[in-house]
Amino acid sequence: MAGGGFVAADGGAHDYGGGVTLSVVVTSLMAASCGLIYGYDTGVTGGVTQMESFLSKFFPEVLRGMKSPRRDAYCKYDNQWLTAFSSSLFIAGTLSSLVASRVTRKVGRQAIMLIGGSMFVAGSVINAAAVNIAMLIIGRMLLGFGLGFTLQAAPVYLAETAPARWRGAFTSAYNTFVVIGILSATITNYFTNRIPGWGWRVSLGLAAVPGVIIVVGAFFVPDTPSSLVLRGQPDEARAALQRIRGAHADVGAELKDIVRAVDEARQNDVGAFRRLFSKRYRHYLTVGLAIPVFYQFTGMIVISVFSPVLFRTVGFNSQKAILGSVINSTTNLVATVLSTFVMDRTGRRFLFIVGGIGMMLCEVAISWVMAGHLGKHQGVAAMPRGYATGVLVLICMCTFSFGLSWAPLRWVVPSEIYPVEIRSAGQAMSISVALCLAFVELQVFIALLCAMKYGVFLFYAGWLLVMTIFMAAFLPETKGVPLEAMRSVWTQHWYWKKHVSDAKQESEISAVSTD
Protein backbone atom coordinates (compact mmCIF):
# COMPACT_ATOMS: atom_id res chain seq x y z
CA MET A 1 0.00 0.00 0.00
CA ALA A 2 2.86 2.31 0.60
CA GLY A 3 2.80 4.67 -2.22
CA GLY A 4 4.62 7.83 -1.31
CA GLY A 5 1.61 10.11 -0.72
CA PHE A 6 -1.59 10.57 1.25
CA VAL A 7 -5.00 12.13 0.96
CA ALA A 8 -5.43 15.32 2.88
CA ALA A 9 -8.66 16.45 4.36
CA ASP A 10 -9.31 18.66 1.39
CA GLY A 11 -9.02 15.67 -0.91
CA GLY A 12 -5.66 16.65 -2.36
CA ALA A 13 -2.64 14.39 -2.53
CA HIS A 14 0.53 15.45 -0.71
CA ASP A 15 4.03 14.01 -0.78
CA TYR A 16 5.07 12.00 2.27
CA GLY A 17 8.73 12.81 1.69
CA GLY A 18 11.59 10.36 1.41
CA GLY A 19 13.46 9.52 -1.76
CA VAL A 20 14.68 6.57 -3.74
CA THR A 21 16.87 4.68 -1.28
CA LEU A 22 19.21 1.75 -1.80
CA SER A 23 16.78 -0.42 0.15
CA VAL A 24 13.80 0.39 -2.08
CA VAL A 25 15.91 -0.18 -5.20
CA VAL A 26 17.19 -3.57 -4.00
CA THR A 27 13.74 -4.62 -2.79
CA SER A 28 12.10 -3.57 -6.05
CA LEU A 29 14.76 -5.28 -8.17
CA MET A 30 14.29 -8.56 -6.31
CA ALA A 31 10.51 -8.35 -6.69
CA ALA A 32 10.79 -7.36 -10.34
CA SER A 33 13.13 -10.28 -11.00
CA CYS A 34 10.04 -12.51 -10.73
CA GLY A 35 9.49 -11.34 -14.29
CA LEU A 36 12.48 -13.49 -15.31
CA ILE A 37 10.30 -16.55 -14.70
CA TYR A 38 7.55 -15.37 -17.03
CA GLY A 39 9.96 -14.01 -19.61
CA TYR A 40 12.29 -16.99 -19.82
CA ASP A 41 9.43 -19.42 -20.20
CA THR A 42 7.76 -17.27 -22.87
CA GLY A 43 10.99 -16.99 -24.83
CA VAL A 44 12.17 -20.56 -24.52
CA THR A 45 8.90 -22.27 -25.46
CA GLY A 46 8.56 -21.02 -29.02
CA GLY A 47 12.19 -21.78 -29.82
CA VAL A 48 12.04 -25.31 -28.45
CA THR A 49 8.73 -25.94 -30.22
CA GLN A 50 10.38 -25.66 -33.64
CA MET A 51 13.67 -27.45 -32.76
CA GLU A 52 13.96 -30.57 -34.88
CA SER A 53 15.61 -32.52 -32.02
CA PHE A 54 12.60 -31.77 -29.79
CA LEU A 55 10.04 -32.54 -32.48
CA SER A 56 11.71 -35.81 -33.48
CA LYS A 57 11.46 -37.11 -29.90
CA PHE A 58 7.96 -36.01 -28.96
CA PHE A 59 6.14 -34.95 -32.15
CA PRO A 60 7.62 -36.84 -35.12
CA GLU A 61 4.40 -36.43 -37.11
CA VAL A 62 4.86 -32.63 -37.03
CA LEU A 63 8.43 -32.99 -38.28
CA ARG A 64 7.30 -35.23 -41.14
CA GLY A 65 4.59 -32.72 -42.05
CA MET A 66 7.11 -29.84 -42.08
CA LYS A 67 9.22 -31.67 -44.65
CA SER A 68 6.31 -32.67 -46.85
CA PRO A 69 6.15 -30.62 -50.07
CA ARG A 70 2.34 -30.84 -50.01
CA ARG A 71 1.99 -29.29 -46.56
CA ASP A 72 0.28 -25.88 -46.45
CA ALA A 73 2.80 -23.22 -45.40
CA TYR A 74 0.38 -21.90 -42.76
CA CYS A 75 -0.30 -25.35 -41.26
CA LYS A 76 3.16 -26.79 -40.59
CA TYR A 77 2.75 -26.79 -36.80
CA ASP A 78 -0.98 -27.51 -36.51
CA ASN A 79 -0.90 -30.14 -33.75
CA GLN A 80 -3.01 -29.81 -30.59
CA TRP A 81 -0.59 -31.73 -28.35
CA LEU A 82 2.24 -29.49 -29.47
CA THR A 83 0.25 -26.38 -28.62
CA ALA A 84 -0.81 -27.99 -25.32
CA PHE A 85 2.88 -28.09 -24.42
CA SER A 86 2.88 -24.28 -24.67
CA SER A 87 -0.56 -23.51 -23.28
CA SER A 88 -0.82 -25.91 -20.30
CA LEU A 89 1.34 -23.56 -18.23
CA PHE A 90 -1.28 -20.83 -18.45
CA ILE A 91 -4.27 -22.88 -17.31
CA ALA A 92 -2.26 -23.97 -14.25
CA GLY A 93 -1.29 -20.34 -13.66
CA THR A 94 -4.96 -19.35 -13.77
CA LEU A 95 -5.85 -21.74 -10.96
CA SER A 96 -2.83 -20.91 -8.78
CA SER A 97 -3.29 -17.14 -9.07
CA LEU A 98 -6.78 -17.45 -7.55
CA VAL A 99 -5.45 -19.58 -4.70
CA ALA A 100 -2.51 -17.22 -4.22
CA SER A 101 -4.78 -14.25 -3.54
CA ARG A 102 -6.11 -15.93 -0.40
CA VAL A 103 -2.75 -17.30 0.69
CA THR A 104 -1.17 -13.85 0.26
CA ARG A 105 -3.42 -12.35 2.91
CA LYS A 106 -2.27 -15.06 5.36
CA VAL A 107 1.48 -15.33 4.70
CA GLY A 108 2.39 -12.12 2.84
CA ARG A 109 3.81 -11.34 -0.58
CA GLN A 110 7.38 -12.33 0.32
CA ALA A 111 6.36 -15.92 1.11
CA ILE A 112 4.29 -16.12 -2.07
CA MET A 113 7.38 -15.30 -4.15
CA LEU A 114 9.31 -18.02 -2.32
CA ILE A 115 6.60 -20.61 -3.00
CA GLY A 116 6.33 -19.59 -6.66
CA GLY A 117 10.07 -19.73 -7.25
CA SER A 118 10.31 -23.21 -5.69
CA MET A 119 7.54 -24.56 -7.94
CA PHE A 120 9.24 -23.10 -10.98
CA VAL A 121 12.52 -24.86 -10.11
CA ALA A 122 10.70 -28.19 -9.73
CA GLY A 123 8.88 -27.80 -13.05
CA SER A 124 12.09 -26.91 -14.87
CA VAL A 125 13.85 -30.05 -13.62
CA ILE A 126 10.96 -32.29 -14.71
CA ASN A 127 10.83 -30.70 -18.17
CA ALA A 128 14.58 -31.09 -18.69
CA ALA A 129 14.37 -34.77 -17.74
CA ALA A 130 11.19 -35.50 -19.74
CA VAL A 131 11.00 -38.79 -21.63
CA ASN A 132 7.38 -38.51 -22.77
CA ILE A 133 4.64 -35.93 -23.38
CA ALA A 134 3.07 -36.59 -19.97
CA MET A 135 6.25 -35.48 -18.20
CA LEU A 136 6.37 -32.37 -20.38
CA ILE A 137 2.81 -31.42 -19.44
CA ILE A 138 3.33 -32.12 -15.71
CA GLY A 139 6.48 -29.99 -15.71
CA ARG A 140 4.71 -27.21 -17.58
CA MET A 141 1.85 -27.21 -15.08
CA LEU A 142 4.27 -26.91 -12.16
CA LEU A 143 5.83 -23.96 -13.98
CA GLY A 144 2.34 -22.53 -14.32
CA PHE A 145 1.62 -22.87 -10.60
CA GLY A 146 4.87 -21.03 -9.86
CA LEU A 147 4.02 -18.37 -12.42
CA GLY A 148 0.57 -17.78 -10.93
CA PHE A 149 2.00 -17.26 -7.43
CA THR A 150 4.74 -14.86 -8.52
CA LEU A 151 2.40 -12.91 -10.80
CA GLN A 152 0.07 -12.40 -7.85
CA ALA A 153 2.81 -11.01 -5.63
CA ALA A 154 5.43 -9.15 -7.66
CA PRO A 155 3.54 -6.28 -9.42
CA VAL A 156 1.59 -5.38 -6.27
CA TYR A 157 4.79 -5.72 -4.20
CA LEU A 158 6.38 -3.12 -6.45
CA ALA A 159 3.38 -0.78 -6.37
CA GLU A 160 3.19 -0.95 -2.57
CA THR A 161 6.92 -0.30 -2.12
CA ALA A 162 7.69 2.41 -4.69
CA PRO A 163 7.34 6.17 -4.01
CA ALA A 164 4.26 7.52 -5.82
CA ARG A 165 6.12 9.89 -8.14
CA TRP A 166 8.23 6.99 -9.53
CA ARG A 167 5.73 4.17 -9.15
CA GLY A 168 5.30 3.72 -12.89
CA ALA A 169 9.04 3.27 -13.42
CA PHE A 170 9.44 0.88 -10.50
CA THR A 171 6.38 -1.22 -11.35
CA SER A 172 7.32 -1.41 -15.03
CA ALA A 173 10.64 -2.89 -13.91
CA TYR A 174 8.74 -6.17 -13.69
CA ASN A 175 8.15 -6.05 -17.42
CA THR A 176 11.79 -5.11 -18.00
CA PHE A 177 12.78 -8.37 -16.33
CA VAL A 178 10.15 -10.22 -18.38
CA VAL A 179 11.85 -8.95 -21.53
CA ILE A 180 15.32 -9.75 -20.18
CA GLY A 181 14.05 -13.27 -19.54
CA ILE A 182 12.70 -13.52 -23.10
CA LEU A 183 15.98 -12.28 -24.56
CA SER A 184 18.00 -14.68 -22.39
CA ALA A 185 15.83 -17.58 -23.53
CA THR A 186 16.08 -16.76 -27.23
CA ILE A 187 19.88 -16.42 -26.99
CA THR A 188 19.99 -19.75 -25.14
CA ASN A 189 17.87 -21.37 -27.87
CA TYR A 190 20.18 -19.98 -30.54
CA PHE A 191 23.13 -21.90 -29.11
CA THR A 192 21.36 -25.03 -27.85
CA ASN A 193 19.68 -25.51 -31.23
CA ARG A 194 23.13 -26.46 -32.53
CA ILE A 195 23.40 -29.35 -30.04
CA PRO A 196 22.06 -32.47 -31.77
CA GLY A 197 19.62 -34.66 -29.87
CA TRP A 198 19.46 -33.00 -26.46
CA GLY A 199 19.91 -29.24 -26.90
CA TRP A 200 16.26 -28.70 -26.01
CA ARG A 201 16.91 -30.22 -22.55
CA VAL A 202 19.44 -27.49 -21.81
CA SER A 203 16.99 -24.78 -22.86
CA LEU A 204 14.17 -26.14 -20.69
CA GLY A 205 16.45 -26.97 -17.74
CA LEU A 206 18.00 -23.52 -17.56
CA ALA A 207 14.53 -22.20 -16.61
CA ALA A 208 15.52 -23.29 -13.10
CA VAL A 209 18.02 -20.41 -12.95
CA PRO A 210 15.43 -17.59 -12.60
CA GLY A 211 13.53 -19.81 -10.17
CA VAL A 212 16.62 -20.13 -7.96
CA ILE A 213 17.16 -16.35 -8.16
CA ILE A 214 13.63 -15.77 -6.85
CA VAL A 215 13.98 -18.34 -4.05
CA VAL A 216 17.30 -16.92 -2.84
CA GLY A 217 16.24 -13.30 -3.30
CA ALA A 218 13.03 -13.78 -1.31
CA PHE A 219 15.11 -14.31 1.85
CA PHE A 220 16.79 -10.91 1.50
CA VAL A 221 13.82 -8.56 0.99
CA PRO A 222 11.26 -7.42 3.59
CA ASP A 223 7.55 -7.83 3.11
CA THR A 224 5.59 -4.71 2.14
CA PRO A 225 4.38 -2.40 4.96
CA SER A 226 0.70 -2.85 4.06
CA SER A 227 1.03 -6.64 4.02
CA LEU A 228 2.66 -6.57 7.46
CA VAL A 229 -0.04 -4.28 8.86
CA LEU A 230 -2.71 -6.49 7.33
CA ARG A 231 -1.23 -9.47 9.20
CA GLY A 232 -1.10 -7.63 12.53
CA GLN A 233 2.58 -6.64 12.61
CA PRO A 234 2.59 -2.80 12.86
CA ASP A 235 6.08 -2.56 14.39
CA GLU A 236 7.59 -4.64 11.59
CA ALA A 237 5.62 -2.52 9.11
CA ARG A 238 7.12 0.70 10.52
CA ALA A 239 10.62 -0.79 10.37
CA ALA A 240 10.11 -1.94 6.77
CA LEU A 241 8.71 1.45 5.76
CA GLN A 242 11.59 3.27 7.44
CA ARG A 243 14.07 1.03 5.65
CA ILE A 244 12.67 1.64 2.19
CA ARG A 245 12.02 5.38 2.68
CA GLY A 246 15.36 6.16 4.32
CA ALA A 247 16.63 6.55 7.88
CA HIS A 248 15.87 10.30 8.01
CA ALA A 249 12.38 10.14 6.44
CA ASP A 250 9.36 10.83 8.65
CA VAL A 251 7.19 7.78 7.93
CA GLY A 252 4.55 8.54 10.56
CA ALA A 253 2.00 10.09 8.20
CA GLU A 254 2.40 7.42 5.55
CA LEU A 255 2.15 4.59 8.10
CA LYS A 256 -0.96 6.21 9.59
CA ASP A 257 -2.65 6.23 6.18
CA ILE A 258 -1.61 2.63 5.57
CA VAL A 259 -3.06 1.55 8.93
CA ARG A 260 -6.29 3.46 8.22
CA ALA A 261 -6.62 1.89 4.77
CA VAL A 262 -5.92 -1.59 6.15
CA ASP A 263 -8.45 -1.08 8.99
CA GLU A 264 -11.06 -0.28 6.35
CA ALA A 265 -10.00 -3.40 4.49
CA ARG A 266 -10.40 -5.54 7.64
CA GLN A 267 -13.94 -4.27 8.13
CA ASN A 268 -14.71 -5.63 4.70
CA ASP A 269 -12.43 -8.66 4.98
CA VAL A 270 -15.08 -11.22 4.12
CA GLY A 271 -16.33 -11.50 0.57
CA ALA A 272 -13.68 -9.51 -1.29
CA PHE A 273 -14.47 -11.28 -4.56
CA ARG A 274 -18.21 -10.72 -4.06
CA ARG A 275 -17.68 -7.02 -3.38
CA LEU A 276 -15.47 -6.78 -6.44
CA PHE A 277 -18.58 -7.36 -8.56
CA SER A 278 -20.77 -4.92 -6.62
CA LYS A 279 -21.82 -1.55 -8.01
CA ARG A 280 -19.47 0.28 -5.64
CA TYR A 281 -16.43 -1.26 -7.33
CA ARG A 282 -17.78 -1.63 -10.85
CA HIS A 283 -15.46 0.99 -12.35
CA TYR A 284 -12.39 -0.68 -10.85
CA LEU A 285 -13.48 -4.08 -12.17
CA THR A 286 -14.33 -2.78 -15.65
CA VAL A 287 -10.91 -1.24 -16.24
CA GLY A 288 -9.10 -3.95 -14.25
CA LEU A 289 -10.55 -6.66 -16.49
CA ALA A 290 -10.51 -4.71 -19.76
CA ILE A 291 -6.72 -4.35 -19.65
CA PRO A 292 -5.84 -8.09 -19.40
CA VAL A 293 -8.58 -9.02 -21.88
CA PHE A 294 -7.43 -6.46 -24.44
CA TYR A 295 -3.80 -7.35 -23.72
CA GLN A 296 -4.36 -10.89 -24.96
CA PHE A 297 -6.05 -9.63 -28.13
CA THR A 298 -3.14 -7.43 -29.13
CA GLY A 299 -1.77 -10.62 -30.73
CA MET A 300 1.58 -10.05 -29.06
CA ILE A 301 1.44 -13.03 -26.71
CA VAL A 302 1.43 -15.39 -29.69
CA ILE A 303 4.13 -13.36 -31.44
CA SER A 304 6.24 -13.53 -28.27
CA VAL A 305 5.81 -17.28 -27.86
CA PHE A 306 5.59 -18.37 -31.48
CA SER A 307 7.89 -15.88 -33.22
CA PRO A 308 10.34 -18.67 -34.21
CA VAL A 309 7.39 -20.62 -35.60
CA LEU A 310 6.21 -17.56 -37.54
CA PHE A 311 9.70 -16.99 -38.93
CA ARG A 312 9.89 -20.65 -39.97
CA THR A 313 6.47 -20.28 -41.58
CA VAL A 314 7.59 -17.38 -43.79
CA GLY A 315 10.68 -19.26 -44.96
CA PHE A 316 13.64 -18.93 -42.54
CA ASN A 317 15.52 -22.04 -41.47
CA SER A 318 15.57 -23.07 -37.78
CA GLN A 319 18.74 -21.20 -36.80
CA LYS A 320 17.76 -17.99 -38.59
CA ALA A 321 14.25 -18.19 -37.14
CA ILE A 322 15.72 -18.20 -33.64
CA LEU A 323 18.11 -15.38 -34.60
CA GLY A 324 15.07 -13.40 -35.73
CA SER A 325 13.56 -13.98 -32.29
CA VAL A 326 16.75 -12.69 -30.66
CA ILE A 327 16.51 -9.51 -32.74
CA ASN A 328 12.83 -9.16 -31.85
CA SER A 329 13.51 -9.68 -28.13
CA THR A 330 16.30 -7.07 -28.21
CA THR A 331 13.87 -4.61 -29.79
CA ASN A 332 11.40 -5.36 -27.00
CA LEU A 333 14.04 -4.68 -24.36
CA VAL A 334 14.98 -1.31 -25.90
CA ALA A 335 11.32 -0.27 -26.01
CA THR A 336 10.71 -1.42 -22.44
CA VAL A 337 13.65 0.53 -21.05
CA LEU A 338 12.50 3.62 -22.96
CA SER A 339 8.99 3.18 -21.55
CA THR A 340 10.40 3.07 -18.01
CA PHE A 341 11.91 6.52 -18.48
CA VAL A 342 8.90 8.18 -20.15
CA MET A 343 5.94 6.54 -18.43
CA ASP A 344 5.83 8.88 -15.43
CA ARG A 345 6.23 11.89 -17.72
CA THR A 346 3.84 11.19 -20.59
CA GLY A 347 1.25 9.33 -18.54
CA ARG A 348 -0.41 5.94 -19.02
CA ARG A 349 -3.21 6.88 -21.44
CA PHE A 350 -0.89 8.51 -23.97
CA LEU A 351 1.32 5.42 -24.21
CA PHE A 352 -1.70 3.11 -24.49
CA ILE A 353 -3.00 5.15 -27.44
CA VAL A 354 0.33 5.55 -29.27
CA GLY A 355 1.27 1.91 -28.78
CA GLY A 356 -2.13 0.65 -29.90
CA ILE A 357 -2.05 2.65 -33.12
CA GLY A 358 1.51 1.50 -33.87
CA MET A 359 0.68 -2.18 -33.38
CA MET A 360 -2.50 -1.92 -35.43
CA LEU A 361 -0.72 -0.43 -38.46
CA CYS A 362 2.08 -3.01 -38.27
CA GLU A 363 -0.30 -5.97 -38.07
CA VAL A 364 -2.29 -4.73 -41.06
CA ALA A 365 1.00 -4.46 -42.98
CA ILE A 366 2.07 -7.99 -41.91
CA SER A 367 -1.24 -9.36 -43.12
CA TRP A 368 -0.87 -7.54 -46.46
CA VAL A 369 2.65 -8.92 -47.05
CA MET A 370 1.66 -12.48 -46.10
CA ALA A 371 -1.47 -12.30 -48.25
CA GLY A 372 0.55 -11.31 -51.29
CA HIS A 373 3.64 -13.44 -50.92
CA LEU A 374 3.14 -16.51 -48.69
CA GLY A 375 1.46 -19.73 -49.66
CA LYS A 376 1.01 -19.07 -53.36
CA HIS A 377 0.56 -22.05 -55.66
CA GLN A 378 -1.67 -24.04 -53.31
CA GLY A 379 0.18 -22.91 -50.18
CA VAL A 380 3.50 -24.57 -51.00
CA ALA A 381 5.81 -21.84 -52.27
CA ALA A 382 8.05 -20.17 -49.70
CA MET A 383 7.97 -16.41 -49.32
CA PRO A 384 10.76 -14.59 -51.23
CA ARG A 385 13.60 -13.71 -48.84
CA GLY A 386 13.14 -9.93 -49.20
CA TYR A 387 9.50 -10.11 -48.15
CA ALA A 388 10.34 -12.55 -45.33
CA THR A 389 12.84 -9.99 -44.05
CA GLY A 390 10.12 -7.36 -44.36
CA VAL A 391 7.88 -9.47 -42.09
CA LEU A 392 10.71 -9.65 -39.57
CA VAL A 393 11.09 -5.84 -39.65
CA LEU A 394 7.34 -5.30 -39.24
CA ILE A 395 7.17 -7.73 -36.33
CA CYS A 396 10.05 -5.85 -34.66
CA MET A 397 8.23 -2.54 -35.20
CA CYS A 398 5.07 -4.06 -33.76
CA THR A 399 7.06 -5.36 -30.79
CA PHE A 400 8.60 -1.92 -30.24
CA SER A 401 5.12 -0.35 -30.03
CA PHE A 402 4.07 -3.12 -27.67
CA GLY A 403 7.14 -2.79 -25.45
CA LEU A 404 6.59 0.95 -25.20
CA SER A 405 2.97 0.66 -24.11
CA TRP A 406 0.87 -2.43 -23.41
CA ALA A 407 3.70 -4.69 -22.25
CA PRO A 408 4.70 -2.64 -19.16
CA LEU A 409 1.34 -0.92 -18.60
CA ARG A 410 -0.40 -4.30 -18.41
CA TRP A 411 1.35 -4.75 -15.05
CA VAL A 412 1.45 -1.14 -13.87
CA VAL A 413 -2.18 -0.03 -14.11
CA PRO A 414 -4.01 -3.06 -12.59
CA SER A 415 -1.56 -3.10 -9.67
CA GLU A 416 -2.30 0.53 -8.77
CA ILE A 417 -6.01 1.15 -9.42
CA TYR A 418 -7.64 -1.16 -6.86
CA PRO A 419 -8.26 0.06 -3.26
CA VAL A 420 -6.57 -2.04 -0.56
CA GLU A 421 -9.71 -3.89 0.57
CA ILE A 422 -10.06 -5.56 -2.85
CA ARG A 423 -6.50 -5.26 -4.14
CA SER A 424 -5.51 -8.92 -3.76
CA ALA A 425 -8.86 -10.07 -5.17
CA GLY A 426 -8.69 -7.58 -8.04
CA GLN A 427 -5.11 -8.51 -8.88
CA ALA A 428 -6.01 -12.20 -8.76
CA MET A 429 -9.00 -11.60 -11.04
CA SER A 430 -6.91 -9.65 -13.56
CA ILE A 431 -4.16 -12.26 -13.61
CA SER A 432 -6.47 -15.27 -13.79
CA VAL A 433 -8.42 -13.76 -16.69
CA ALA A 434 -5.17 -12.96 -18.52
CA LEU A 435 -3.72 -16.43 -17.99
CA CYS A 436 -6.97 -18.17 -18.92
CA LEU A 437 -7.19 -16.19 -22.17
CA ALA A 438 -3.49 -16.86 -22.84
CA PHE A 439 -4.18 -20.59 -22.50
CA VAL A 440 -7.06 -20.42 -24.99
CA GLU A 441 -5.16 -18.19 -27.39
CA LEU A 442 -1.99 -20.27 -27.44
CA GLN A 443 -4.02 -23.45 -27.78
CA VAL A 444 -5.93 -22.22 -30.84
CA PHE A 445 -3.45 -19.83 -32.52
CA ILE A 446 -1.72 -22.41 -34.72
CA ALA A 447 -5.12 -23.74 -35.78
CA LEU A 448 -6.29 -20.16 -36.45
CA LEU A 449 -3.18 -19.49 -38.51
CA CYS A 450 -3.91 -22.62 -40.52
CA ALA A 451 -7.59 -21.74 -41.00
CA MET A 452 -7.51 -17.93 -41.32
CA LYS A 453 -4.00 -17.64 -42.80
CA TYR A 454 -2.96 -13.98 -43.09
CA GLY A 455 -6.42 -12.92 -41.87
CA VAL A 456 -5.46 -13.77 -38.28
CA PHE A 457 -3.43 -10.54 -38.10
CA LEU A 458 -6.39 -8.51 -39.39
CA PHE A 459 -8.41 -10.09 -36.57
CA TYR A 460 -5.92 -8.76 -34.00
CA ALA A 461 -5.72 -5.36 -35.75
CA GLY A 462 -9.50 -4.98 -35.38
CA TRP A 463 -9.23 -5.61 -31.66
CA LEU A 464 -6.43 -3.07 -31.40
CA LEU A 465 -8.70 -0.41 -32.87
CA VAL A 466 -11.39 -1.20 -30.28
CA MET A 467 -9.03 -1.22 -27.32
CA THR A 468 -7.29 2.00 -28.32
CA ILE A 469 -10.64 3.81 -28.45
CA PHE A 470 -11.59 2.32 -25.06
CA MET A 471 -8.36 3.45 -23.40
CA ALA A 472 -8.68 6.95 -24.83
CA ALA A 473 -12.23 7.28 -23.54
CA PHE A 474 -12.43 5.33 -20.27
CA LEU A 475 -9.00 5.03 -18.64
CA PRO A 476 -8.40 7.70 -15.95
CA GLU A 477 -4.82 8.99 -15.76
CA THR A 478 -3.02 7.58 -12.70
CA LYS A 479 0.55 8.84 -13.10
CA GLY A 480 1.99 10.32 -9.90
CA VAL A 481 -1.16 9.65 -7.85
CA PRO A 482 -0.49 7.98 -4.47
CA LEU A 483 -2.28 4.67 -3.99
CA GLU A 484 -4.18 6.12 -1.03
CA ALA A 485 -5.51 8.92 -3.26
CA MET A 486 -6.39 6.73 -6.24
CA ARG A 487 -10.13 7.00 -5.60
CA SER A 488 -9.97 10.68 -6.56
CA VAL A 489 -9.05 9.99 -10.22
CA TRP A 490 -12.41 8.28 -10.74
CA THR A 491 -14.41 11.17 -9.29
CA GLN A 492 -12.76 13.53 -11.81
CA HIS A 493 -13.26 11.34 -14.88
CA TRP A 494 -15.91 12.49 -17.37
CA TYR A 495 -17.70 9.11 -17.42
CA TRP A 496 -16.90 7.33 -14.18
CA LYS A 497 -17.67 10.25 -11.85
CA LYS A 498 -21.41 9.70 -12.16
CA HIS A 499 -21.10 5.99 -11.40
CA VAL A 500 -18.84 6.67 -8.43
CA SER A 501 -21.35 9.19 -7.07
CA ASP A 502 -24.29 6.80 -7.54
CA ALA A 503 -22.38 3.95 -5.86
CA LYS A 504 -21.45 6.20 -2.92
CA GLN A 505 -25.06 7.30 -2.40
CA GLU A 506 -26.24 3.71 -2.55
CA SER A 507 -23.61 2.70 0.03
CA GLU A 508 -24.65 5.52 2.39
CA ILE A 509 -28.33 4.61 2.09
CA SER A 510 -27.47 0.97 2.82
CA ALA A 511 -25.45 1.99 5.89
CA VAL A 512 -28.32 4.13 7.25
CA SER A 513 -30.79 1.28 6.68
CA THR A 514 -28.51 -1.11 8.57
CA ASP A 515 -28.29 1.30 11.51
Side-chain angles (χ1 to χ4, degrees):
M1 253 300 305
F6 72 94
V7 185
D10 59 3
H14 299 274
D15 198 331
Y16 290 117
V20 177
T21 63
L22 177 61
S23 178
V24 77
V25 170
V26 171
T27 301
S28 296
L29 285 176
M30 290 310 305
S33 63
C34 290
L36 290 172
I37 288 178
Y38 193 10
Y40 187 89
D41 184 83
T42 299
V44 82
T45 304
V48 167
T49 296
Q50 59 84 52
M51 287 185 183
E52 294 189 4
S53 59
F54 177 79
L55 294 174
S56 64
K57 183 169 183 61
F58 298 104
F59 305 98
E61 66 279 8
V62 175
L63 189 59
R64 289 193 297 269
M66 287 172 55
K67 297 180 178 181
S68 171
R70 294 188 298 273
R71 187 70 166 176
D72 191 315
Y74 289 96
C75 302
K76 292 178 180 179
Y77 296 89
D78 188 13
N79 181 286
Q80 288 301 297
W81 280 110
L82 180 60
T83 52
F85 165 70
S86 301
S87 63
S88 55
L89 174 143
F90 292 95
I91 194 64
T94 301
L95 299 175
S96 66
S97 66
L98 292 173
V99 173
S101 70
R102 296 182 179 274
V103 178
T104 298
R105 298 176 72 86
K106 301 294 184 182
V107 302
R109 310 199 193 285
Q110 181 187 32
I112 288 294
M113 290 194 293
L114 181 61
I115 294 169
S118 300
M119 288 183 173
F120 204 82
V121 172
S124 303
V125 172
I126 292 175
N127 269 349
V131 295
N132 53 45
I133 295 177
M135 283 188 71
L136 284 177
I137 300 300
I138 290 171
R140 293 289 292 173
M141 294 192 75
L142 275 173
L143 293 173
F145 290 138
L147 178 64
F149 274 93
T150 55
L151 276 175
Q152 166 66 26
V156 176
Y157 200 115
L158 289 162
E160 292 183 343
T161 301
R165 71 185 73 168
W166 298 292
R167 190 177 59 247
F170 275 91
T171 310
S172 65
Y174 179 85
N175 187 69
T176 302
F177 277 86
V178 171
V179 178
I180 291 173
I182 293 173
L183 180 59
S184 301
T186 53
I187 292 174
T188 299
N189 285 339
Y190 182 77
F191 290 104
T192 59
N193 191 42
R194 299 179 178 182
I195 304 174
W198 53 274
W200 60 271
R201 292 188 186 275
V202 178
S203 289
L204 295 180
L206 285 177
V209 174
V212 170
I213 292 174
I214 301 308
V215 171
V216 173
F219 288 106
F220 293 95
V221 295
D223 211 334
T224 65
S226 64
S227 180
L228 290 167
V229 171
L230 193 62
R231 290 182 287 124
Q233 302 175 36
D235 293 337
E236 290 83 350
R238 175 180 287 275
L241 188 59
Q242 192 74 66
R243 187 158 53 248
I244 62 179
R245 293 289 177 254
H248 302 292
D250 183 2
V251 299
E254 185 172 4
L255 183 63
K256 182 179 178 181
D257 280 343
I258 292 172
V259 170
R260 183 171 63 246
V262 169
D263 284 343
E264 291 177 4
R266 282 204 185 99
Q267 295 172 11
N268 300 285
D269 191 50
V270 179
F273 278 98
R274 184 176 65 252
R275 288 197 310 278
L276 189 59
F277 288 91
S278 68
K279 186 174 182 179
R280 180 181 178 185
Y281 299 102
R282 185 174 299 167
H283 45 295
Y284 299 111
L285 183 65
T286 300
V287 175
L289 288 186
I291 290 175
V293 169
F294 286 147
Y295 173 85
Q296 298 304 323
F297 285 102
T298 61
M300 294 307 299
I301 183 66
V302 293
I303 288 178
S304 296
V305 174
F306 290 129
S307 58
V309 172
L310 288 172
F311 295 143
R312 287 295 298 271
T313 298
V314 299
F316 292 109
N317 62 32
S318 180
Q319 200 66 9
K320 289 184 177 179
I322 296 177
L323 179 60
S325 294
V326 172
I327 296 171
N328 190 49
S329 299
T330 303
T331 303
N332 196 0
L333 180 59
V334 172
T336 299
V337 172
L338 177 61
S339 178
T340 299
F341 284 104
V342 303
M343 182 182 301
D344 289 315
R345 293 178 172 84
T346 63
R348 282 53 157 162
R349 288 177 68 254
F350 176 79
L351 289 182
F352 268 126
I353 295 168
V354 170
I357 293 173
M359 285 187 286
M360 179 178 62
L361 295 176
C362 288
E363 290 185 8
V364 170
I366 292 169
S367 180
W368 176 75
V369 173
M370 294 180 73
H373 302 284
L374 177 64
K376 296 299 182 180
H377 310 293
Q378 289 73 51
V380 175
M383 182 181 290
R385 182 53 52 87
Y387 288 101
T389 303
V391 170
L392 170 61
V393 172
L394 286 169
I395 286 179
C396 287
M397 291 172 63
C398 193
T399 298
F400 184 86
S401 298
F402 177 68
L404 191 66
S405 58
W406 277 87
L409 292 172
R410 156 68 183 91
W411 309 110
V412 172
V413 177
S415 69
E416 66 186 7
I417 62 172
Y418 291 111
V420 66
E421 66 268 19
I422 59 166
R423 186 169 300 151
S424 290
Q427 182 75 352
M429 184 65 65
S430 296
I431 291 170
S432 61
V433 167
L435 293 177
C436 185
L437 287 175
F439 163 74
V440 174
E441 191 174 9
L442 291 176
Q443 189 64 35
V444 304
F445 174 72
I446 299 298
L448 280 178
L449 182 64
C450 182
M452 299 177 66
K453 297 181 170 44
Y454 60 86
V456 71
F457 289 100
L458 292 178
F459 169 77
Y460 289 126
W463 275 103
L464 280 163
L465 176 61
V466 172
M467 66 184 72
T468 301
I469 294 173
F470 180 91
M471 290 300 163
F474 298 109
L475 179 69
E477 183 53 64
T478 58
K479 73 166 183 175
V481 180
L483 296 185
E484 292 80 9
M486 197 60 69
R487 283 183 172 89
S488 64
V489 303
W490 304 93
T491 61
Q492 298 167 11
H493 188 270
W494 72 272
Y495 179 79
W496 295 117
K497 62 183 180 182
K498 180 180 184 301
H499 293 268
V500 173
S501 177
D502 290 346
K504 183 178 180 181
Q505 291 177 8
E506 184 178 286
S507 178
E508 290 173 350
I509 293 172
S510 176
V512 171
S513 299
T514 302
D515 293 340

